[in-house]
Amino acid sequence: MWISQPEARDHVVEILTRCGYGTRNVDTEGDLFQGLSESKRGIVFLDSGIIHHYGPTLYGRIQRACSGCRMIVLCRRDSRPLIREAMEAGVYGCVVEPYAPWEIETMVRHILADFPQDSSPTVSSKLSDKNAERPS
């Protein structure tokens, strides 16, 4: 899970844990992409703050690192342009705050139902944006 707001990250981790999903935590962008490149599929949560830091090219970078990964973007209420951009870039879905547990649970359940049964996907990865730099 790559969420810049600690309270939002904690809320999503709590929802996933309550549903029995494991999470994978990383501390750097490099660790995230290394972990994704070693995975065939997974679910990556991003928030609008991360997208503002790294730019919309992040979606393509994640897809290249893990073609079977699905992305869910957590958005603020004022993020309508970001939602459109994300959906056009191939993001699975967007959840607008306050992130309701049923929305996150339903998206994760539907994504996992589409994965082959022999896989064990990474449900989420966490990356702090403390060293975030937006590419130019």
Side-chain angles (χ1 to χ4, degrees):
M1 187 166 336
W2 192 355
I3 302 176
S4 60
Q5 303 166 352
E7 59 281 349
R9 181 183 55 240
D10 294 345
H11 180 64
V12 174
V13 168
E14 179 183 321
I15 293 167
L16 294 172
T17 301
R18 189 175 52 238
C19 293
Y21 302 124
T23 61
R24 181 172 181 190
N25 299 317
V26 295
D27 293 320
T28 67
E29 178 185 10
D31 290 343
L32 173 69
F33 285 105
Q34 180 178 346
L36 291 176
S37 67
E38 296 168 357
S39 300
K40 292 183 180 179
R41 51 194 59 85
I43 302 171
V44 178
F45 285 87
L46 306 164
D47 74 0
S48 54
I50 294 296
I51 303 305
H52 289 299
H53 274 287
Y54 285 87
T57 60
L58 180 62
Y59 305 126
R61 293 175 57 212
I62 290 171
Q63 290 171 334
R64 284 189 299 279
C66 178
S67 62
C69 283
R70 301 295 176 260
M71 293 170 275
I72 298 173
V73 178
L74 305 173
C75 302
R76 293 184 291 251
R77 291 196 178 275
D78 61 351
S79 298
R80 299 301 287 171
L82 182 125
I83 293 170
R84 180 179 180 174
E85 176 183 85
M87 298 305 289
E88 289 176 352
V91 166
Y92 180 84
C94 298
V95 179
V96 178
E97 68 182 359
Y99 317 117
W102 70 266
E103 290 179 287
I104 293 169
E105 293 168 15
T106 302
M107 281 192 189
V108 170
R109 189 172 56 250
H110 284 278
I111 291 170
L112 292 177
D114 288 340
F115 286 159
Q117 295 302 318
D118 64 341
S119 67
S120 54
T122 300
V123 174
S124 62
S125 298
K126 179 183 87 179
L127 177 63
S128 167
D129 72 339
K130 61 185 173 194
N131 298 316
E133 296 178 22
R134 184 177 179 138
S136 43

